[in-house]
Amino acid sequence: MSSTLSLRFILCTLFLSSLFLRHSLADVGTAAHYGPPFLPSACYGRDASQFPSNNFFGAVGEGLWDNGAACGRQYQVRCISAAVRRTCIPGQMIQIKIVDRAQSSVSRPSLAGTTLVLSSRAFQVIANASAPFINVEYQQ
Ligand SMILES: *[C@@H]1O[C@H](CO)[C@@H](O)[C@H](O)[C@H]1NC(C)=O
């Protein structure tokens, strides 16, 4: 009987710590979208070869810009909610490469001041493209 109890205790501990780890790794923020033209970008100037060919890239807001260190970072982004019901596409996650600083992007974001700005190609994988912004969970 005591071994059953300790097994339960171990399973319970594992379950709780996995929940904790999951939440400590991902952050919550907002994401807008932007379309072309994308060049020049604050990260790569006119060098289009730095942009992923699948067009899954984005720009960061001031909170993540990190003096330019954000350039080239990869983020996994998931839509968690939006002002309009059913804006998020269930079960979808996108990985983007940071190529620009939202504040100075040539093409203006659909909303200023968001945590992330996704290329419209990336945005429409996880949400309805007509939404100006969504709430996201993101993780480097
Ligand atoms: C996207 O949102 C718009 C505006 O809310 C709506 O008219 C349209 O039906 C939505 N598209 C999909 C595929 O849900």
Side-chain angles (χ1 to χ4, degrees), residues 31-50:
H33 51 87
Y34 74 146
F38 298 112
L39 300 177
S41 85
C43 291
Y44 305 119
R46 297 186 184 280
D47 186 1
S49 72
Q50 296 293 329

Side-chain angles (χ1 to χ4, degrees), residues 34 38-46 51 59 65 68 71 99-106:
Y34 74 146
F38 298 112
L39 300 177
S41 85
C43 291
Y44 305 119
R46 297 186 184 280
F51 283 58
W65 173 240
C71 294
V99 298
D100 208 347
R101 181 185 192 174
Q103 187 168 277
S104 62
S105 61
V106 179

Side-chain angles (χ1 to χ4, degrees), residues 50-96:
Q50 296 293 329
F51 283 58
S53 53
N54 61 13
N55 283 313
F56 296 160
F57 56 83
V60 286
E62 293 307 286
L64 292 176
W65 173 240
D66 197 6
N67 251 325
C71 294
R73 283 181 183 155
Q74 304 269 351
Y75 283 98
Q76 285 192 328
V77 188
R78 199 165 70 82
C79 181
I80 52 175
S81 65
V84 176
R85 270 169 59 97
R86 299 191 184 166
T87 295
C88 293
I89 298 171
Q92 290 296 322
M93 165 102 78
I94 189 89
Q95 180 161 326
I96 56 157

